[in-house]
Every structure is written in structure tokens, then in C-alpha cells.
Amino acid sequence: MGKIAFVFPGQGAQKVGMAKDVYDALPQAAELFKTADEVLGFSISELAFEGPEEQLKQTANTQPALLTASIALFEALKSKNITPDYVAGHSLGEYSALVAANALDFDQAVAIVRARGQYMEQAVPSGQGAMAAVLGAEREPLAALCAEISATGHAVELANVNCPGQIVVSGSVEGVNAVAARVKEIGGKRAIMLEVSGPFHSSLMKSAADQLSERLQTVSFRDATVPVVANVTAKTVTQGSDIQALLVEQVYSPVLWEDSVRFLIHEGVDTFIEIGPGNVLTGLIKKIDKNVRLINISSLESIEALQVEV
């Protein structure tokens, strides 16, 4: 019998109306949204369910809304009595994974990711940072190109190593544009500029990481009851103190998603259950290894349709 990993999406997966069906059907899901509203001091529920989309897309709103929707779906999935052997999340999704692994209380997680989003938005003045998805390039040549451009004073780095042929770069607008202009030199196909409010997962986020570090000093992390595969190392972490340190590093370090998935497969995982709106991670995992079983939990219907043969 193969092992199961629960995986949670990050920013970009949000959509207006997410988890509303679960909220309507399950008291414990409704309770989560109510808790989030109380912790944040405004109705993140209303924003998640009704929008407007422009407001939901703002990083400081997206992060708590997406975390709450993902954990509501996770709570609903508990009715199927499926236990994961591992959990992981993409960037912001790592916080959902930590709640699922009992390392962090939900109410604390909501407050942290709201603050994290604010720190990330404030770290670099608007219009000075950018991110782009580079398609078709290999990791090493792309990293070398980023280093060459950064050496000219325009910072740009690998931010998300998502799957073969899809790597996101992040940094100054000049740096990212320079990479985009030169991807074909290193065998890449093209670069697509991303709609983001800052150069996430780059060294330009150091000030956000420092603020987050201070904020996390006030939170008590427990040891995880399920091993969590960390974005920064693509290896498991269970100790509360290690989890805390890695979350700070994660803000300015690349998300090693492809490496994390390969690690899980190497550890015997053959079923990945994506829990959260959309199916971004399912798509990435399919490109990493098409032989694994992929299950998408993004609605009440998808939970009800799930056969408990896992």
C-alpha cells in the first residue's frame, strides 16, 4: 500500500466563492470562517465568498482567505477518515499544512498569514519588484543567468522551482525583464510576467522576513504530528523550533516544489490529495510524475464523490 500526502495550494489559487458550499453545509467549517473574521477584525468570509476579486487578490487578504478556505475543506475531508503520511504546501500553503499537522493553531495561523501578507506588500515599493514564470528552461542555466544579471546590480533569483519546464524568477523589475529578454539564450521558450504585488521569495524580501521573525517569536509552535515537507529544504521537518526558523527563511528563499514532490515519491507516496481551491498543484505534480494518483478536493461535491479506497 502506497503512502498519502495532503498538499495545500498557495497564492494564485484563490477565487471568489471558494469553500462557500462547505461553509453552508458544515457547522465546523462555518465556525472556522467565523473565527477568522473575529481574529482579523473584518469579514474575510464576505470577501472570500462575494469578492470583489480585486480586493481578494491583494496579498494581505488572499493569504488569510485562502488558508481559511483550505482548512475548511480539510475539516470536511475528515469525514472520510483518510490520514496523510505527509503534508506539504506551496509557499502560503505551508501554513495550511502546518495547521493540518497540528503544529499551529488555526486562529494563530490566520493572524500570522495576514501579517505575513502585509510585510510582503510593504517590503518593496510598488512597481519596483516583479516575478515571471520562465517556461522550458533548465534550472542550472537559469540560475547562472540570474546570477549574471544580479551581478550588474539588478537583483533577480529563482523563486519557485515548480516542475520541469516551469520556474518562476523574482527580483527587481529591471532584473526580471532582463531574464525575460534572454530566456532563449539558455534554451528557454518564453517568460510570462506574473500579476503580483512584489518580488516574493527573493532576497528583496529580507525586511519582510525580519518582521515575520519577530512576529513568530510570540507564537508557540508544537511538534508536528505528521511530517511536513518544508519548501526551503524539500525535506521533512517535525520539530516546532525548526518549523519556525524555516518559515522565516521561506519568505526570501526559493520554493523547492519539484524537489519536495520528488522527495515524497521517493519516500513511497503514490497518492497526492490537493486540498484547496483550484487544481494548480495537481497540474504541477502531473508534470513531475504522471504515474502518481492525484485527487483534487476543492468543493463539497469532490469530497462526497471521493471513494475511500485510499
Side-chain angles (χ1 to χ4, degrees):
M1 180 76 178
K3 294 177 182 171
I4 297 169
F6 284 0
V7 294
F8 296 88
Q11 206 163 322
Q14 74 279 357
K15 62 170 193 240
V16 173
M18 56 186 178
K20 177 76 165 73
D21 54 350
V22 182
Y23 171 90
D24 290 338
L26 293 176
Q28 63 267 43
E31 196 56 42
L32 278 171
F33 277 97
K34 187 172 164 226
T35 299
D37 292 348
E38 283 168 6
V39 167
L40 299 173
F42 70 98
S43 183
I44 197 78
S45 309
E46 201 176 307
L47 193 54
F49 301 151
E50 296 166 28
E53 192 183 350
E54 276 312 304
Q55 220 174 317
L56 182 62
K57 269 165 53 177
Q58 289 167 12
T59 298
N61 293 331
T62 308
Q63 298 203 12
L66 193 52
L67 172 92
T68 306
S70 296
I71 296 302
L73 286 159
F74 168 72
E75 283 296 325
L77 182 60
K78 283 183 179 172
S79 66
K80 293 290 186 180
N81 295 319
I82 302 165
T83 318
D85 298 285
Y86 297 92
V87 294
H90 192 289
S91 188
L92 163 74
E94 194 160 310
Y95 288 83
S96 305
L98 291 169
V99 173
N102 301 305
L104 188 57
D105 289 330
F106 171 73
D107 57 347
Q108 290 189 316
V110 167
I112 292 165
V113 300
R114 168 73 171 173
R116 178 182 183 263
Q118 289 168 331
Y119 303 151
M120 288 165 78
E121 282 182 339
Q122 293 156 6
V124 176
S126 184
Q128 288 186 19
M131 296 178 80
V134 176
L135 306 182
E138 295 285 332
R139 192 185 310 196
E140 284 71 23
L142 183 56
L145 177 61
C146 287
E148 185 190 322
I149 291 165
S150 294
T152 67
H154 301 304
V156 60
E157 296 147 44
L158 303 190
N160 303 339
V161 182
N162 283 333
C163 66
Q166 194 204 101
I167 300 171
V168 175
V169 296
S170 177
S172 64
V173 169
E174 297 84 356
V176 173
N177 283 339
V179 167
R182 293 178 59 187
V183 287
K184 290 195 168 144
E185 285 177 30
I186 56 160
K189 292 187 185 126
R190 61 192 175 117
I192 301 165
M193 300 306 281
L194 301 182
E195 257 194 82
V196 289
S197 54
F200 306 146
H201 299 291
S202 77
S203 56
L204 300 179
M205 285 284 129
K206 276 273 174 47
S207 64
D210 292 342
Q211 286 179 286
L212 183 65
S213 177
E214 269 183 53
R215 183 75 172 67
L216 294 183
Q217 301 301 325
T218 65
V219 178
S220 52
F221 285 86
R222 293 184 293 271
D223 293 350
T225 53
V226 180
V228 182
V229 179
N231 287 177
V232 173
T233 59
K235 291 187 169 55
T236 52
V237 59
T238 51
Q239 271 198 299
S241 55
D242 296 339
I243 288 167
Q244 190 170 342
L246 286 166
L247 287 177
V248 174
E249 227 178 294
Q250 190 224 52
V251 175
Y252 61 85
S253 302
V255 173
L256 301 178
W257 186 251
E258 182 184 338
D259 307 53
S260 298
V261 171
R262 291 196 190 283
F263 170 82
L264 286 165
I265 293 167
H266 182 262
E267 292 298 300
V269 170
D270 64 1
T271 301
F272 288 84
I273 302 182
E274 178 177 4
I275 303 168
N279 54 5
V280 174
L281 299 183
T282 309
L284 296 178
I285 296 166
K286 197 180 286 178
K287 288 179 181 151
I288 296 165
D289 188 332
K290 55 182 185 300
N291 298 315
V292 295
R293 184 173 180 218
L294 298 167
I295 297 168
N296 192 253
I297 298 297
S298 56
S299 64
L300 193 61
E301 194 184 343
S302 59
I303 295 168
E304 286 165 353
L306 185 60
Q307 299 301 310
V308 196
E309 69 220 289
V310 291

